[in-house]
Amino acid sequence: MSQPLRFALNRMVAPRLSLPEFINLAVSLKADAIEIRNDLKGVEIEDGTPPQEVRELCAAQGIKVLSINALYPFDVWNDQRREQVLKLAAYARDCGAEGLVMCPLNDPADPRSEAERSAGLRTALTQLAPILREHRLLGFIEPLGFEECALRRKRVAVDAIRAIGGLDVFRLVHDTFHHHLASEHEFFPELTGLVHISGVEDAQAPLNSIRDGHRVLVGEADILGNAAQIDTLLSSGYRGYLSFEPFADSVHGLADIRQAIGASIAHLRQALA
């Protein structure tokens, strides 16, 4: 693959570092973009770090903020969701983020029919679009491949985006883990705004038993086909970032996370050369 690979770091790759340490990690790996999260205790955003501080720390090192991860569950619209998105959108705007990652309801107890889920998705997108436009943000929709998820496949999201006239403000997150779990075969490079990458190496685990805790850095033993997925996206026009998002405690506890991420970058560059 002749296209250069553009790497970014999701906060989940090193949740125990301070924000300055995390930014320095990105700089040391020549990754010029990060994603911050609102679901990690003890670090920004949960620790009360002002958005201006995030902006200033990143600007000083030439780092861009791709997203805040995440608005959840974005597809269940109510007064609580409106309040939540207004707060996140203001923070994203003030810290210089390009957009909000938006994740759908993932709950086996969700009582809604497919028709009700579809209607809820379109209602939510219709309500979210003007808020995102007002704050000059993109909404990065991330289908989750788990069987119980209300929005598993990107095709459903694309149809809803088009139906509500949201092509200017909504983009897809192609998550290599969730793409594999959903047994999805369609790619939408022209609507993809962000790619999340992680690997799974447990070849014996049934597909429907794989969870976030299995997600490690991408290496030789990966069973998700990360390299093939990335190759397809790049070959068909995607030019954005590949953001590392491993959830496994084994990754978070590594003594040298910089070396481990560097090895994963080297592996992907070789696999896609």
Side-chain angles (χ1 to χ4, degrees):
M1 172 50 57
S2 59
Q3 293 298 327
L5 303 181
R6 302 172 71 195
F7 290 104
L9 301 185
N10 186 290
R11 197 65 166 98
M12 189 57 74
V13 78
R16 299 174 188 174
L17 297 181
S18 68
L19 180 59
E21 289 171 337
F22 182 63
I23 292 170
N24 286 337
L25 174 65
V27 171
S28 73
L29 291 162
K30 294 182 172 57
D32 66 350
I34 63 170
E35 296 179 85
I36 60 175
R37 302 183 69 100
N38 63 330
D39 60 353
L40 292 171
K41 300 294 184 184
V43 298
E44 72 301 326
I45 300 171
E46 284 281 351
D47 68 352
T49 300
Q52 293 82 4
E53 183 177 335
V54 177
R55 178 192 286 267
E56 290 166 6
L57 286 169
C58 289
Q61 297 272 34
I63 296 291
K64 71 175 68 175
V65 182
L66 297 177
S67 81
I68 295 177
N69 192 334
L71 175 66
Y72 174 86
F74 86 90
D75 56 328
V76 180
W77 189 258
N78 50 35
D79 290 342
Q80 179 187 2
R81 199 70 56 246
R82 178 181 293 279
E83 182 180 346
Q84 183 185 10
V85 72
L86 286 171
K87 183 178 179 181
L88 280 176
Y91 195 102
R93 177 196 60 205
D94 293 346
C95 81
E98 295 181 358
L100 295 177
V101 171
M102 309 191 314
C103 294
L105 184 63
N106 188 63
D107 184 355
D110 181 6
R112 297 174 301 164
S113 66
E114 285 302 312
E116 289 170 330
R117 290 177 173 183
S118 178
L121 172 62
R122 296 184 186 204
T123 295
L125 294 181
T126 299
Q127 295 295 323
L128 284 162
I131 296 172
L132 292 167
R133 291 182 185 120
E134 180 183 349
H135 290 81
R136 299 185 178 181
L137 300 169
L138 292 172
F140 297 118
I141 300 171
E142 181 169 10
L144 306 180
F146 303 122
E147 288 183 350
E148 66 271 20
C149 185
L151 176 60
R152 297 189 70 200
R153 293 184 173 88
K154 294 184 284 293
R155 165 60 66 185
V156 176
V158 169
D159 289 346
I161 291 168
R162 288 180 171 150
I164 65 98
L167 289 172
D168 63 314
V169 74
F170 293 112
R171 297 292 183 270
L172 300 173
V173 176
H174 179 107
D175 185 295
T176 57
F177 171 80
H178 289 298
H179 181 87
H180 181 84
L181 253 58
S183 299
E184 190 165 27
H185 302 292
E186 286 189 283
F187 292 77
F188 298 90
E190 73 285 358
L191 288 178
T192 299
L194 183 60
V195 175
H196 284 161
I197 60 175
S198 59
V200 171
E201 297 183 346
D202 187 348
Q204 304 306 314
L207 193 62
N208 64 3
S209 73
I210 296 175
R211 286 294 181 266
D212 281 333
H214 289 86
R215 298 171 68 172
V216 296
L217 294 166
V218 183
E220 292 286 347
D222 174 45
I223 64 169
L224 302 181
N226 268 271
Q229 290 187 46
I230 294 167
D231 184 58
T232 297
L233 284 163
L234 295 178
S235 297
S236 50
Y238 178 69
R239 297 293 180 265
Y241 284 92
L242 310 172
S243 185
F244 285 97
E245 193 191 31
F247 283 72
D249 288 338
S250 60
V251 175
H252 301 164
L254 287 172
D256 191 345
I257 185 64
R258 180 190 176 282
Q259 186 279 330
I261 299 171
S264 187
I265 288 173
H267 163 72
L268 285 169
R269 282 185 172 145
Q270 182 177 10
L272 290 159

